[in-house]
Amino acid sequence: MRITIIGTGYVGLVTGVCFAEMGNKVNCVDKDSAKIKELNNGIIPIFEPGLKAMVNESYQKGVLAFTTSLQEAINESDIVFIAVGTPQDEDGSADLTHVINVAKEIGKEMNHPLIVVDKSTVPVGTAEKVRESIQTELNSRKENIDFDVVSNPEFLKEGSAIKDFMQPDRVVIGSENENSTNVLKALYRPFTINRERFIQMDIKSAEMTKYAANAFLATKISFMNEMSNICERVGADANMVRMGIGSDNRIGYKFIYPGCGYGGSCFPKDIKALEKTAKDFGYTANILGAVEKVNAEQKKLIVRKITNKFSEDLSGKCFAVWGLSFKPGTNDMREAPSIVIIKELIEKGAKIQVYDPKAMKEAEEHYFKNEPKISYCENKYKAIDGADALILITEWKEFRSPDFTRISALLNQSVIFDGRNQYDKLMLKKYGYEYYQIGVK
């Protein structure tokens, strides 16, 4: 099939390359000419395992192209995916400016029937707004061209997005047009051929499904963090509690790890947007508000443990930080706990020596620009050298089994603050460490 993807961010790029992998002809469009130039030169703006190799291979085969010309792209396509950003607005709602602007441009440029697909995470009712925007532009041109708008929310996890797209748990399509449904079912058939994963529903339900899924996962995280805080106070071990409740197949083990909070481009933004949507329709989403509140406090927990150990004034102290990205497998630092933790430590007078396998450039150029109290280190052991304690924030694989004897020799004090409960406390006790976890007294 002939496909246009509008937006070459995380979702757009992964979607485009995976469709191209199956032999479709894909044009990826972005108004950022510098980004398009880089993509045409094989430079990928985001880190995602396997993405660079797939992009370059499909590009060389001629099934994947990058352009700034929307007119050129959609005139060669039958399906157009909108995959632009929906940043959080000041009132917490999703800002649909980019989505609506794209819809208007489609209406201005289309010259043949199209299926327009909302791939961006958007509030309930957005498809109607996209349809109205396209139709208004067609009316102004006095053109009568058939088109349809459907919803196809993405369920990609950063760090495993290629696998998630190629082997999806489900493909949700919100459509009230039988032809559009059948076209998208055929488009996704290579990804669902082993087992039926195609779920067709009305458009509003599809738009709601994405928000409901992210809200539920965020709720599991905040619930477990709430339990871990209670565990710490009553003398229970949150790690043991996790295993006890996770063995119940109604609950499961995923998303119930105690930690220093969630981040990323989806959960924080989508929780606020869904809460705002509920408010707009006269409903107060109490659970969503609590989830958000617990998460905000959880990001500060490690700092409280550090000040309890040392003091509120951390002047003259140096801390090694392992991990900057909001999760392993990505360089994405949006809403990452590391931002809150590092800023609070610096405000209290501390210096930071940090290492992350992928996100240090992101940190230095965007989140801690020109910050003299942060040193970026070439490996995890360089970050520890001369520090007063190690703080683990992101659970990258290379942090799972470090040389604890070497760490102890490099640190000024054998102290570890573990924001992801990665290590065995009994083993560290044998090494002579002071070891602070989440949810363990």
Side-chain angles (χ1 to χ4, degrees), residues 46 69 106 125 136-137 142 181 186 245 253 263 284 289 302 341 357 384 386-387 399 409:
I46 59 173
S69 174
I106 291 171
T136 298
E137 294 301 328
K142 297 181 180 179
T181 301
I245 66 174
Y253 290 104
T284 300
I302 286 288
I341 294 168
I384 294 168
F399 301 151

Side-chain angles (χ1 to χ4, degrees), residues 223-256:
F223 175 84
M224 193 64 219
N225 282 333
E226 184 102 292
M227 293 302 103
S228 74
N229 292 331
I230 297 173
C231 285
E232 194 166 333
R233 284 159 176 78
V234 302
D237 186 328
N239 300 306
M240 298 295 104
V241 173
R242 179 187 66 80
M243 289 190 283
I245 66 174
S247 60
D248 186 331
N249 58 21
R250 295 171 301 174
I251 298 172
Y253 290 104
K254 293 182 178 179
F255 290 87
I256 61 166

Side-chain angles (χ1 to χ4, degrees), residues 215-226:
F216 182 72
L217 295 176
T219 299
K220 288 186 75 174
I221 294 170
S222 280
F223 175 84
M224 193 64 219
N225 282 333
E226 184 102 292

